[in-house]
Amino acid sequence: MTTHSQSVLPDAQRTLLGGLLLAAATVGTWLAWLSWNTGYRVDPETGARSGPYAVWQVAGCVLTLAVVAAAGGWWLSPWLVAPVMAVAFTVPWAVQAASIDGSGLWAVGATLVLIGTTAGSGVVSLGTHLLHRRLTSS
């Protein structure tokens, strides 16, 4: 067997394992920050309705996803990181949203979550990937 075919297998295994770990960390982020709070709140004084998430939950979730994307970009290709994170985050979000939304607008939200997660994880992972290449090429 050639040296080339022997070197492809470890890269493929690393990509598969990395993708699975990335997906697990992304789903774990959704579980930790957003899965447990599904109710809306009504301000007794103004009657304004808000929710289901508090600002601090969304901020914590976004920061955690940024760390996951940065780690993914350090070790994996951004072309893998962005779609894996986008799907791994959007699917549980959409399943939960669909289960509590009778209007059907959850599909619009899921589309926006997919686009935002793809863009955010793509930019962060690409930046980290380029930084890693620059630091290791010296």
Side-chain angles (χ1 to χ4, degrees), residues 116-137:
T117 308
T118 301
S121 62
V123 167
V124 171
S125 64
L126 178 61
T128 307
H129 186 76
L130 293 174
L131 176 65
H132 182 249
R133 281 183 36 191
R134 186 172 193 183
L135 292 174
T136 58
S137 69

Side-chain angles (χ1 to χ4, degrees), residues 90 93-94 97-98 101 103-114:
T90 303
W93 187 95
D101 176 29
S103 71
L105 286 176
W106 68 267
V108 174
T111 301
L112 294 173
V113 167
L114 181 68

Side-chain angles (χ1 to χ4, degrees), residues 30-59:
W30 176 82
L31 284 167
W33 289 104
L34 303 180
S35 69
W36 49 271
N37 197 358
T38 58
Y40 286 84
R41 293 165 297 285
V42 177
D43 186 321
E45 291 183 23
T46 65
R49 190 174 150 196
S50 64
Y53 312 118
V55 172
W56 64 266
Q57 282 178 281
V58 176

